[in-house]
Structure formats: C-alpha cells, structure tokens
Amino acid sequence: MRQADATDIPLLAYHRAAMFRDMGKLAPDQADALTRATASYLRTALPGGEYLGWVAQETAAPAAVIGGAGAQIRPILPRPRTGGELELGPEAIILNVYVEVAWRRRGVGEALMRAVLDALVQSGIRRVVLHAAEDGRRLYERLGFVASNEMRLE
Ligand SMILES: CC(C)(COP(=O)(O)OP(=O)(O)OC[C@H]1O[C@@H](n2cnc3c(N)ncnc32)[C@H](O)[C@@H]1OP(=O)(O)O)[C@@H](O)C(=O)NCCC(=O)NCCS
C-alpha cells in the first residue's frame, strides 16, 4: 500500500470508472468522459489535500497497481455528537474503492480501507461516511460501518 501522488491520477480516475462499471452503473459510452472529468477534478484536489488516495501494488516487478481507495475531506456544519462534545468536522467520504478482479477476495480491499482509515484517524478526522455497493457492504460492516439515516432525492 502506498499513498497516491499526482503521477497516479490517471490510475485513480480509471479506478473510479472501473468501480462504477463493475457496479453495473456506468454505460460503456460514458466511461471516457467520467475518467477525464475525474482526472480533471483530481489535478486540483489531490495536490490541494481535498482528496487523499491510496493504491495497492504488487511487490514483485513490474509492481503493477492492483487497486485503490480514496477519501474526500469536506467541511460539515457543527453538530452534536453522542457523548457530549460537538462534532466540528471536517468529515471524510470514502470513494473509489476498487480492486482488479484477479486480485479480489484476498484481503486487498480490506488492506486499502485500513490504510485510508488509519490516515484519517492520524489526521484527527472522526466522522467517516460512504455509500456501500453490494460488493463492498460486508467489508465495510467488518470495519465497523453501520447504515445511517441518509435519504436521497434524484
Ligand atoms: C469491493 C471490493 C473493493 C472488495 O475488494 P477485495 O479485495 O475483494 O476485498 P477483501 O478481499 O478484503 O474482502 C472481500 C471478501 O473476500 C474475503 N477474503 C479476504 N481474504 C481472503 C482469503 N485469503 N481467502 C478467501 N476469502 C478472503 C473477505 O472475507 C471478504 O468476504 P465477504 O465479502 O464475504 O465478507 C471489490 O470487490 C471491487 O472492486 N468490487 C467492484 C467495485 C465496487 O463495488 N467497489 C465498492 C464500491 S462501494
């Protein structure tokens, strides 16, 4: 596992498109546009610290990247937290969790998630949210995530 830098932006953008593809939510003719728009966002957000990314890569040469996961750091309005203190934010939303098919079900996804969560804890972030796809739900539950009261209007 290593933290992604600007040279990884094309890979991170590919991971986002591949994730939506494997979730059955991306029409083939939208893949290029989604990848380009994601790379464009990351060119600002990654150097600026709004987006933090991690990649998993093989230890043996050619050390191909086999997956990735990221977190977007975003402000929240102050809110009460169970236990008394106020939650002042920012919060992190986990995004772009993706492992290449040939490497799935070997713990790579969990290792990526642990790398992201460890870094978030180190930087003092106490509130972490995500939207779970079917493939990831059990992994997130294992890490302690619980379903929330979020609603959506499209
Ligand atoms: C979701 C995703 C990232 C999980 O990646 P992964 O590397 O397979 O994750 P893990 O290996 O850590 O865990 C997956 C399962 O493999 C099991 N596993 C882990 N290591 C294992 C091993 N050595 N042998 C057998 N099973 C193992 C885990 O227990 C887990 O099982 P469960 O889902 O029944 O609880 C991957 O399936 C993926 O990229 N899916 C498509 C994109 C997607 O949906 N992303 C999530 C968006 S929210």
Side-chain angles (χ1 to χ4, degrees):
M1 302 297 141
R2 64 172 174 80
Q3 192 157 1
D5 62 28
T7 63
D8 296 304
I9 285 174
L11 265 169
L12 303 185
Y14 153 74
H15 286 158
R16 183 164 178 79
M19 176 191 74
F20 280 119
R21 178 199 64 204
D22 289 6
M23 286 161 57
K25 296 207 163 161
L26 181 64
D29 64 352
Q30 289 186 319
D32 282 352
L34 178 70
T35 307
R36 274 198 307 276
T38 301
S40 167
Y41 163 78
L42 290 172
R43 279 195 288 274
T44 306
L46 196 72
E50 178 181 308
Y51 186 88
L52 308 172
W54 278 261
V55 293
Q57 69 187 94
E58 294 179 83
T59 45
V65 170
I66 56 173
Q72 184 189 43
I73 313 300
R74 56 190 194 181
I76 57 167
L77 283 180
R79 51 178 295 145
R81 182 179 5 174
T82 316
E85 291 170 67
L86 287 183
E87 177 69 69
L88 300 176
E91 73 174 10
I93 178 164
I94 304 283
L95 298 161
N96 306 328
V97 183
Y98 177 75
V99 173
E100 295 289 351
V101 174
W103 286 90
R104 288 184 194 165
R105 304 194 68 82
R106 303 200 214 177
V108 177
E110 182 170 334
L112 278 163
M113 282 296 298
R114 288 192 185 282
V116 176
L117 294 175
D118 283 353
L120 293 176
V121 167
Q122 303 262 333
S123 54
I125 293 189
R126 307 185 59 162
R127 185 180 164 87
V128 184
V129 298
L130 56 76
H131 295 120
E134 222 27 65
D135 276 3
R137 185 173 300 276
R138 283 157 64 110
L139 166 61
Y140 304 138
E141 284 172 351
R142 221 173 24 250
L143 291 168
F145 285 84
V146 291
S148 77
N149 60 352
E150 182 170 303
M151 298 174 79
R152 182 184 306 168
L153 177 66
E154 294 197 9

